[in-house]
Amino acid sequence: MAAYAASKAAATQLIKSLGLEVAQYGIRCNTVAPGSTDTPMLRSMWHDREAEQHTLDGSPSAYRVGIPLRRIGRPDDVAEAVAFLLSDRAAQITLHDLTVDGGASLGPDLRAPPGPPVRIRPGSCPGTHIRDAVVHHRPPQAPGLA
């Protein structure tokens, strides 16, 4: 999984760097990052009838948050995103990584209840102008959910 993630990050940064170099010629460079898409590869990973539901629901213990839109993507969903980026309607979009995943990459499950409020007292943050604040935060999530 680490090599897969590293290769995706490297490809995204390569396209952004290339995009900076060729922007002066009117060339736009973007990447599309599809999530779970109904393809033979995805189906080959499903070994029982509940597998699609498990993909939608996610599994925090396996660092998967599920799909908030509650549907597996279709190849046409990804193709439409690519067609948009290639069109004149996207003339001002460059150096962008467009995620087409139904919200699965939102990170930690935002439906989880927030943790207790934390009071920040005057003087507790040296070098800032914070006088008094209450911050509501979510408990830390397992790494890899982002």
Side-chain angles (χ1 to χ4, degrees), residues 57 59-60 63-66 68 103-113 137-146:
D57 294 341
S59 173
Y63 308 113
R64 293 192 323 259
V65 298
S105 62
L106 76 115
D109 189 351
L110 297 180
R111 295 169 289 184
H137 71 285
R138 298 192 182 283
Q141 300 289 324
L145 288 176

Side-chain angles (χ1 to χ4, degrees), residues 7-129:
S7 67
K8 288 189 85 149
T12 299
Q13 288 309 117
L14 172 67
I15 294 303
K16 287 184 178 189
S17 296
L18 177 64
L20 284 173
E21 294 176 17
V22 300
Q24 64 184 327
Y25 306 109
I27 298 171
R28 296 177 289 122
C29 294
N30 298 291
T31 55
V32 174
S36 295
T37 305
D38 190 2
T39 62
M41 182 180 109
L42 179 66
R43 290 195 174 274
S44 73
M45 297 183 329
W46 292 345
H47 301 294
D48 57 43
R49 292 178 181 219
E50 292 81 33
E52 182 174 354
Q53 190 63 45
H54 291 307
T55 299
L56 295 173
D57 294 341
S59 173
S61 65
Y63 308 113
R64 293 192 323 259
V65 298
I67 303 175
L69 283 181
R70 309 302 301 156
R71 76 176 192 62
I72 301 294
R74 298 181 316 263
D76 286 351
D77 296 326
V78 179
E80 289 292 331
V82 171
F84 168 72
L85 288 173
L86 291 171
S87 76
D88 289 338
R89 294 180 299 155
Q92 192 61 18
I93 300 173
T94 193
L95 310 177
H96 184 69
D97 184 24
L98 179 59
T99 303
V100 182
D101 71 352
S105 62
L106 76 115
D109 189 351
L110 297 180
R111 295 169 289 184
V118 176
R119 180 160 295 281
I120 300 173
R121 304 242 180 255
S124 63
C125 298
T128 69
H129 297 287

